[in-house]
Amino acid sequence: MCKHILNAQVSVRAACCKRWFDCPQCHAENSTHGLKKTDEIIFLCKKCKKAFRKDINECEEADEYCPHCDNQYVVEAKTPMAALGVEGEDARVDNRLIKDDRAKINNSSMFKDASDKLG
């Protein structure tokens, strides 16, 4: 599982060490050597779990899909970003979103009921 690209659709086999990685950053973190450049890339589809080869010099637009299951593996990468979000509008402006589930307090005094019991 790649922590750099959240929607990685394929793993790539590094030609230098014959190990599978989701992105070049994962290779750099887990290896002591540099990534070897090659014209042929071996992919492993994460949907159908089948491997296939692609030549970089002969890539076409139709090469964005797995030849076995037609899973599109060339997609815009989603990288993790730290963000804080609040669902709905600002509660300070529109407090209709805040629902108070607490029981309403009865306005009667507890001493009113116990006044005849006091001496």
Side-chain angles (χ1 to χ4, degrees):
M1 187 82 162
C2 180
K3 65 180 181 182
H4 307 104
I5 301 173
L6 299 178
N7 61 339
Q9 300 295 310
V10 292
S11 292
V12 179
R13 187 172 184 193
C16 50
C17 58
K18 309 290 189 221
R19 292 174 47 202
W20 296 96
F21 297 98
D22 289 342
C23 71
Q25 290 89 359
C26 289
H27 180 272
E29 288 178 0
N30 296 312
S31 301
T32 57
H33 58 276
L35 189 60
K36 180 182 173 186
K37 305 250 183 215
T38 181
D39 289 339
E40 185 177 68
I41 300 175
I42 303 172
F43 294 100
L44 179 67
C45 179
K46 290 187 175 184
K47 184 176 180 184
C48 67
K49 309 287 192 243
K50 293 184 180 179
F52 57 95
R53 297 173 188 257
K54 294 286 178 182
D55 189 355
I56 293 178
N57 302 324
E58 299 175 6
C59 283
E60 298 176 3
E61 190 173 322
D63 290 335
E64 295 181 357
Y65 298 90
C66 172
H68 304 288
C69 69
D70 289 333
N71 181 31
Q72 184 177 9
Y73 63 89
V74 178
V75 293
E76 185 177 341
K78 292 183 181 177
T79 56
M81 295 181 174
L84 293 174
V86 178
E87 293 182 13
E89 298 293 325
D90 189 1
R92 295 172 292 183
V93 176
D94 186 10
N95 62 0
R96 290 179 291 166
L97 296 174
I98 301 173
K99 183 178 178 185
D100 190 0
D101 292 331
R102 296 178 291 182
K104 295 207 179 230
I105 300 172
N106 193 357
N107 289 338
S108 64
S109 173
M110 65 181 211
F111 296 110
K112 187 189 294 184
D113 298 333
S115 62
D116 59 327
K117 295 180 184 177
L118 293 175

CSV table of all heavy atoms in Angstrom, one decimal, residues 30-71:
chain,number,residue,atom,x,y,z
A,30,ASN,N,12.7,2.2,0.5
A,30,ASN,CA,12.9,0.8,0.8
A,30,ASN,C,14.2,0.2,0.2
A,30,ASN,O,14.4,-1.0,0.4
A,30,ASN,CB,11.7,-0.1,0.4
A,30,ASN,CG,10.5,0.3,1.2
A,30,ASN,OD1,10.5,0.5,2.4
A,30,ASN,ND2,9.4,0.5,0.5
A,31,SER,N,14.9,0.9,-0.5
A,31,SER,CA,16.1,0.4,-1.2
A,31,SER,C,17.3,1.3,-0.9
A,31,SER,O,17.2,2.5,-0.6
A,31,SER,CB,15.9,0.3,-2.7
A,31,SER,OG,14.8,-0.5,-3.0
A,32,THR,N,18.5,0.7,-1.0
A,32,THR,CA,19.7,1.5,-0.8
A,32,THR,C,20.4,1.9,-2.1
A,32,THR,O,21.4,2.6,-2.1
A,32,THR,CB,20.8,0.6,0.0
A,32,THR,OG1,21.0,-0.6,-0.7
A,32,THR,CG2,20.2,0.3,1.4
A,33,HIS,N,19.8,1.6,-3.2
A,33,HIS,CA,20.3,1.9,-4.5
A,33,HIS,C,19.3,2.8,-5.3
A,33,HIS,O,18.2,2.9,-4.9
A,33,HIS,CB,20.6,0.6,-5.3
A,33,HIS,CG,19.4,-0.2,-5.5
A,33,HIS,ND1,19.0,-1.1,-4.6
A,33,HIS,CD2,18.5,-0.3,-6.5
A,33,HIS,CE1,17.9,-1.7,-5.0
A,33,HIS,NE2,17.6,-1.3,-6.2
A,34,GLY,N,19.8,3.3,-6.4
A,34,GLY,CA,18.9,4.2,-7.2
A,34,GLY,C,18.1,3.3,-8.2
A,34,GLY,O,18.4,2.2,-8.4
A,35,LEU,N,17.0,3.9,-8.7
A,35,LEU,CA,16.1,3.2,-9.6
A,35,LEU,C,16.7,3.2,-11.0
A,35,LEU,O,17.1,4.2,-11.5
A,35,LEU,CB,14.8,4.0,-9.6
A,35,LEU,CG,13.6,3.3,-10.3
A,35,LEU,CD1,13.3,2.0,-9.7
A,35,LEU,CD2,12.4,4.2,-10.3
A,36,LYS,N,16.9,2.0,-11.5
A,36,LYS,CA,17.5,1.8,-12.9
A,36,LYS,C,16.4,2.2,-13.9
A,36,LYS,O,15.3,1.7,-13.9
A,36,LYS,CB,17.9,0.4,-13.0
A,36,LYS,CG,18.6,0.1,-14.3
A,36,LYS,CD,19.0,-1.4,-14.4
A,36,LYS,CE,19.5,-1.7,-15.8
A,36,LYS,NZ,19.7,-3.2,-15.9
A,37,LYS,N,16.8,3.0,-14.9
A,37,LYS,CA,16.0,3.4,-16.0
A,37,LYS,C,15.9,2.2,-17.0
A,37,LYS,O,17.0,1.6,-17.3
A,37,LYS,CB,16.5,4.6,-16.7
A,37,LYS,CG,16.6,5.8,-15.7
A,37,LYS,CD,15.6,6.8,-15.9
A,37,LYS,CE,15.9,7.9,-15.0
A,37,LYS,NZ,14.8,8.6,-14.5
A,38,THR,N,14.8,2.0,-17.6
A,38,THR,CA,14.6,0.9,-18.6
A,38,THR,C,13.5,1.4,-19.6
A,38,THR,O,12.7,2.2,-19.3
A,38,THR,CB,14.3,-0.4,-18.0
A,38,THR,OG1,14.1,-1.4,-19.0
A,38,THR,CG2,13.0,-0.3,-17.2
A,39,ASP,N,13.5,0.8,-20.8
A,39,ASP,CA,12.5,1.1,-21.8
A,39,ASP,C,11.2,0.2,-21.6
A,39,ASP,O,10.2,0.6,-22.1
A,39,ASP,CB,13.0,0.9,-23.2
A,39,ASP,CG,14.0,2.0,-23.6
A,39,ASP,OD1,14.0,3.1,-22.9
A,39,ASP,OD2,14.9,1.8,-24.5
A,40,GLU,N,11.4,-0.9,-21.0
A,40,GLU,CA,10.3,-1.8,-20.8
A,40,GLU,C,9.9,-1.9,-19.3
A,40,GLU,O,10.7,-2.1,-18.5
A,40,GLU,CB,10.6,-3.2,-21.3
A,40,GLU,CG,9.5,-4.2,-21.2
A,40,GLU,CD,9.8,-5.5,-21.8
A,40,GLU,OE1,10.6,-6.2,-21.1
A,40,GLU,OE2,9.3,-5.9,-22.8
A,41,ILE,N,8.6,-1.6,-19.1
A,41,ILE,CA,8.1,-1.6,-17.7
A,41,ILE,C,7.2,-2.8,-17.5
A,41,ILE,O,6.3,-3.1,-18.3
A,41,ILE,CB,7.4,-0.3,-17.4
A,41,ILE,CG1,8.3,0.9,-17.6
A,41,ILE,CG2,6.9,-0.3,-16.0
A,41,ILE,CD1,7.7,2.2,-17.4
A,42,ILE,N,7.3,-3.5,-16.4
A,42,ILE,CA,6.4,-4.6,-16.0
A,42,ILE,C,5.5,-4.1,-14.9
A,42,ILE,O,5.9,-3.6,-13.9
A,42,ILE,CB,7.2,-5.8,-15.5
A,42,ILE,CG1,8.2,-6.2,-16.6
A,42,ILE,CG2,6.3,-6.9,-15.2
A,42,ILE,CD1,9.2,-7.3,-16.1
A,43,PHE,N,4.2,-4.2,-15.2
A,43,PHE,CA,3.1,-3.7,-14.3
A,43,PHE,C,2.4,-4.9,-13.7
A,43,PHE,O,2.4,-6.0,-14.3
A,43,PHE,CB,2.1,-2.9,-15.1
A,43,PHE,CG,2.6,-1.6,-15.6
A,43,PHE,CD1,3.0,-1.5,-17.0
A,43,PHE,CD2,2.7,-0.5,-14.8
A,43,PHE,CE1,3.5,-0.3,-17.5
A,43,PHE,CE2,3.2,0.7,-15.3
A,43,PHE,CZ,3.6,0.8,-16.7
A,44,LEU,N,1.8,-4.7,-12.6
A,44,LEU,CA,1.0,-5.7,-11.9
A,44,LEU,C,-0.3,-5.0,-11.6
A,44,LEU,O,-0.3,-4.1,-10.7
A,44,LEU,CB,1.6,-6.3,-10.7
A,44,LEU,CG,0.8,-7.3,-9.9
A,44,LEU,CD1,0.6,-8.6,-10.7
A,44,LEU,CD2,1.5,-7.6,-8.6
A,45,CYS,N,-1.4,-5.4,-12.2
A,45,CYS,CA,-2.7,-4.8,-12.0
A,45,CYS,C,-3.2,-5.2,-10.6
A,45,CYS,O,-3.2,-6.3,-10.2
A,45,CYS,CB,-3.7,-5.2,-13.1
A,45,CYS,SG,-5.3,-4.5,-12.8
A,46,LYS,N,-3.7,-4.2,-9.8
A,46,LYS,CA,-4.1,-4.5,-8.5
A,46,LYS,C,-5.6,-5.0,-8.5
A,46,LYS,O,-6.0,-5.5,-7.5
A,46,LYS,CB,-4.0,-3.2,-7.6
A,46,LYS,CG,-2.6,-2.8,-7.3
A,46,LYS,CD,-2.6,-1.7,-6.3
A,46,LYS,CE,-1.1,-1.4,-5.9
A,46,LYS,NZ,-1.1,-0.4,-4.9
A,47,LYS,N,-6.3,-4.8,-9.6
A,47,LYS,CA,-7.6,-5.3,-9.7
A,47,LYS,C,-7.7,-6.8,-10.0
A,47,LYS,O,-8.3,-7.6,-9.3
A,47,LYS,CB,-8.4,-4.5,-10.7
A,47,LYS,CG,-9.9,-4.9,-10.8
A,47,LYS,CD,-10.6,-4.0,-11.8
A,47,LYS,CE,-12.1,-4.4,-11.9
A,47,LYS,NZ,-12.8,-3.6,-12.9
A,48,CYS,N,-7.0,-7.2,-11.1
A,48,CYS,CA,-7.1,-8.6,-11.5
A,48,CYS,C,-5.9,-9.4,-11.1
A,48,CYS,O,-5.8,-10.6,-11.3
A,48,CYS,CB,-7.3,-8.7,-13.0
A,48,CYS,SG,-5.9,-8.1,-14.0
A,49,LYS,N,-4.8,-8.7,-10.5
A,49,LYS,CA,-3.6,-9.4,-10.0
A,49,LYS,C,-2.8,-10.1,-11.1
A,49,LYS,O,-2.1,-11.1,-10.8
A,49,LYS,CB,-3.9,-10.4,-8.9
A,49,LYS,CG,-4.8,-9.9,-7.8
A,49,LYS,CD,-4.0,-9.0,-6.9
A,49,LYS,CE,-4.8,-8.7,-5.6
A,49,LYS,NZ,-5.2,-7.3,-5.5
A,50,LYS,N,-2.9,-9.6,-12.3
A,50,LYS,CA,-2.1,-10.1,-13.4
A,50,LYS,C,-1.1,-9.1,-13.9
A,50,LYS,O,-1.3,-7.9,-13.9
A,50,LYS,CB,-3.0,-10.5,-14.6
A,50,LYS,CG,-4.0,-11.6,-14.3
A,50,LYS,CD,-4.8,-12.0,-15.4
A,50,LYS,CE,-5.7,-13.2,-15.1
A,50,LYS,NZ,-6.6,-13.6,-16.2
A,51,ALA,N,0.1,-9.7,-14.3
A,51,ALA,CA,1.2,-8.8,-14.8
A,51,ALA,C,1.2,-8.7,-16.3
A,51,ALA,O,0.7,-9.5,-17.0
A,51,ALA,CB,2.5,-9.5,-14.4
A,52,PHE,N,1.7,-7.5,-16.7
A,52,PHE,CA,1.8,-7.2,-18.2
A,52,PHE,C,2.9,-6.3,-18.4
A,52,PHE,O,3.4,-5.6,-17.5
A,52,PHE,CB,0.5,-6.7,-18.7
A,52,PHE,CG,-0.1,-5.4,-18.1
A,52,PHE,CD1,0.2,-4.2,-18.6
A,52,PHE,CD2,-0.8,-5.5,-16.9
A,52,PHE,CE1,-0.3,-3.0,-18.0
A,52,PHE,CE2,-1.3,-4.4,-16.3
A,52,PHE,CZ,-1.0,-3.1,-16.8
A,53,ARG,N,3.5,-6.3,-19.6
A,53,ARG,CA,4.6,-5.5,-20.0
A,53,ARG,C,4.2,-4.3,-20.9
A,53,ARG,O,3.3,-4.5,-21.8
A,53,ARG,CB,5.7,-6.3,-20.7
A,53,ARG,CG,6.3,-7.4,-19.8
A,53,ARG,CD,7.2,-8.2,-20.7
A,53,ARG,NE,7.6,-9.4,-19.9
A,53,ARG,CZ,8.8,-9.5,-19.4
A,53,ARG,NH1,9.7,-8.6,-19.5
A,53,ARG,NH2,9.1,-10.6,-18.7
A,54,LYS,N,4.8,-3.2,-20.8
A,54,LYS,CA,4.6,-2.1,-21.7
A,54,LYS,C,6.0,-1.5,-22.1
A,54,LYS,O,6.9,-1.3,-21.3
A,54,LYS,CB,3.8,-1.0,-21.1
A,54,LYS,CG,2.4,-1.4,-20.7
A,54,LYS,CD,1.5,-1.4,-22.0
A,54,LYS,CE,0.1,-1.9,-21.6
A,54,LYS,NZ,-0.7,-2.0,-22.8
A,55,ASP,N,6.1,-1.2,-23.4
A,55,ASP,CA,7.3,-0.6,-23.9
A,55,ASP,C,7.1,1.0,-23.9
A,55,ASP,O,6.1,1.4,-24.5
A,55,ASP,CB,7.6,-1.1,-25.3
A,55,ASP,CG,9.0,-0.6,-25.8
A,55,ASP,OD1,9.7,0.2,-25.1
A,55,ASP,OD2,9.4,-1.0,-26.9
A,56,ILE,N,7.9,1.7,-23.3
A,56,ILE,CA,7.7,3.2,-23.2
A,56,ILE,C,7.7,3.9,-24.5
A,56,ILE,O,7.0,4.8,-24.8
A,56,ILE,CB,8.8,3.8,-22.2
A,56,ILE,CG1,8.5,3.3,-20.8
A,56,ILE,CG2,8.7,5.3,-22.3
A,56,ILE,CD1,9.6,3.8,-19.8
A,57,ASN,N,8.6,3.3,-25.4
A,57,ASN,CA,8.7,4.0,-26.7
A,57,ASN,C,7.5,3.8,-27.6
A,57,ASN,O,7.3,4.5,-28.6
A,57,ASN,CB,10.0,3.4,-27.4
A,57,ASN,CG,11.2,3.7,-26.6
A,57,ASN,OD1,11.3,4.7,-26.0
A,57,ASN,ND2,12.1,2.7,-26.6
A,58,GLU,N,6.7,2.8,-27.3
A,58,GLU,CA,5.5,2.5,-28.2
A,58,GLU,C,4.2,2.7,-27.4
A,58,GLU,O,3.2,2.0,-27.8
A,58,GLU,CB,5.6,1.0,-28.7
A,58,GLU,CG,6.8,0.8,-29.5
A,58,GLU,CD,7.0,-0.7,-29.9
A,58,GLU,OE1,6.1,-1.5,-29.6
A,58,GLU,OE2,8.0,-1.0,-30.5
A,59,CYS,N,4.1,3.5,-26.5
A,59,CYS,CA,2.9,3.8,-25.7
A,59,CYS,C,1.9,4.5,-26.5
A,59,CYS,O,2.2,5.5,-27.2
A,59,CYS,CB,3.2,4.5,-24.4
A,59,CYS,SG,3.9,3.5,-23.1
A,60,GLU,N,0.6,4.1,-26.4
A,60,GLU,CA,-0.5,4.8,-27.1
A,60,GLU,C,-1.6,5.1,-26.0
A,60,GLU,O,-1.4,4.8,-24.9
A,60,GLU,CB,-1.1,3.8,-28.1
A,60,GLU,CG,-0.1,3.5,-29.2
A,60,GLU,CD,-0.7,2.5,-30.2
A,60,GLU,OE1,-1.9,2.1,-30.1
A,60,GLU,OE2,0.0,2.0,-31.1
A,61,GLU,N,-2.6,5.8,-26.5
A,61,GLU,CA,-3.6,6.2,-25.6
A,61,GLU,C,-4.4,5.0,-25.0
A,61,GLU,O,-4.9,5.0,-23.9
A,61,GLU,CB,-4.6,7.2,-26.3
A,61,GLU,CG,-5.6,7.8,-25.3
A,61,GLU,CD,-6.4,8.9,-26.0
A,61,GLU,OE1,-5.9,9.6,-26.8
A,61,GLU,OE2,-7.6,9.0,-25.7
A,62,ALA,N,-4.5,4.0,-25.8
A,62,ALA,CA,-5.2,2.7,-25.4
A,62,ALA,C,-4.4,2.0,-24.4
A,62,ALA,O,-4.9,1.1,-23.7
A,62,ALA,CB,-5.4,1.8,-26.6
A,63,ASP,N,-3.1,2.3,-24.2
A,63,ASP,CA,-2.3,1.7,-23.2
A,63,ASP,C,-2.6,2.1,-21.8
A,63,ASP,O,-1.8,1.8,-20.8
A,63,ASP,CB,-0.8,1.9,-23.5
A,63,ASP,CG,-0.4,1.1,-24.8
A,63,ASP,OD1,-1.1,0.1,-25.1
A,63,ASP,OD2,0.6,1.5,-25.4
A,64,GLU,N,-3.6,2.9,-21.5
A,64,GLU,CA,-3.9,3.3,-20.2
A,64,GLU,C,-4.8,2.3,-19.4
A,64,GLU,O,-5.1,2.5,-18.3
A,64,GLU,CB,-4.8,4.6,-20.3
A,64,GLU,CG,-4.0,5.8,-20.8
A,64,GLU,CD,-4.9,7.1,-20.8
A,64,GLU,OE1,-6.1,7.0,-20.5
A,64,GLU,OE2,-4.3,8.1,-21.2
A,65,TYR,N,-5.1,1.2,-20.1
A,65,TYR,CA,-5.9,0.2,-19.5
A,65,TYR,C,-5.2,-1.2,-19.4
A,65,TYR,O,-4.4,-1.5,-20.2
A,65,TYR,CB,-7.2,0.0,-20.3
A,65,TYR,CG,-8.0,1.3,-20.4
A,65,TYR,CD1,-7.8,2.2,-21.4
A,65,TYR,CD2,-9.0,1.5,-19.4
A,65,TYR,CE1,-8.6,3.4,-21.5
A,65,TYR,CE2,-9.8,2.7,-19.5
A,65,TYR,CZ,-9.5,3.6,-20.5
A,65,TYR,OH,-10.3,4.7,-20.6
A,66,CYS,N,-5.5,-1.9,-18.3
A,66,CYS,CA,-5.0,-3.3,-18.2
A,66,CYS,C,-5.5,-4.1,-19.3
A,66,CYS,O,-6.7,-4.1,-19.6
A,66,CYS,CB,-5.5,-3.8,-16.8
A,66,CYS,SG,-5.0,-5.6,-16.6
A,67,PRO,N,-4.6,-4.9,-20.0
A,67,PRO,CA,-5.1,-5.7,-21.1
A,67,PRO,C,-5.9,-6.9,-20.7
A,67,PRO,O,-6.6,-7.5,-21.5
A,67,PRO,CB,-3.8,-6.2,-21.8
A,67,PRO,CG,-2.7,-6.1,-20.7
A,67,PRO,CD,-3.2,-5.0,-19.8
A,68,HIS,N,-5.9,-7.2,-19.4
A,68,HIS,CA,-6.7,-8.4,-18.9
A,68,HIS,C,-8.1,-8.0,-18.4
A,68,HIS,O,-9.0,-8.7,-18.7
A,68,HIS,CB,-5.9,-9.1,-17.8
A,68,HIS,CG,-4.5,-9.5,-18.2
A,68,HIS,ND1,-4.3,-10.5,-19.1
A,68,HIS,CD2,-3.3,-9.0,-17.8
A,68,HIS,CE1,-3.0,-10.7,-19.2
A,68,HIS,NE2,-2.4,-9.7,-18.5
A,69,CYS,N,-8.2,-6.9,-17.7
A,69,CYS,CA,-9.5,-6.6,-17.1
A,69,CYS,C,-10.0,-5.2,-17.4
A,69,CYS,O,-11.1,-4.8,-16.9
A,69,CYS,CB,-9.4,-6.7,-15.5
A,69,CYS,SG,-8.4,-5.4,-14.8
A,70,ASP,N,-9.3,-4.4,-18.3
A,70,ASP,CA,-9.7,-3.1,-18.7
A,70,ASP,C,-9.8,-2.1,-17.6
A,70,ASP,O,-10.5,-1.1,-17.6
A,70,ASP,CB,-11.0,-3.1,-19.5
A,70,ASP,CG,-10.9,-3.7,-20.8
A,70,ASP,OD1,-9.8,-3.7,-21.4
A,70,ASP,OD2,-11.9,-4.3,-21.3
A,71,ASN,N,-9.0,-2.3,-16.5
A,71,ASN,CA,-8.9,-1.4,-15.4
A,71,ASN,C,-8.0,-0.2,-15.8
A,71,ASN,O,-6.9,-0.4,-16.3
A,71,ASN,CB,-8.3,-2.0,-14.1
A,71,ASN,CG,-8.2,-1.1,-13.0
A,71,ASN,OD1,-9.0,-0.2,-12.8
A,71,ASN,ND2,-7.3,-1.3,-12.1
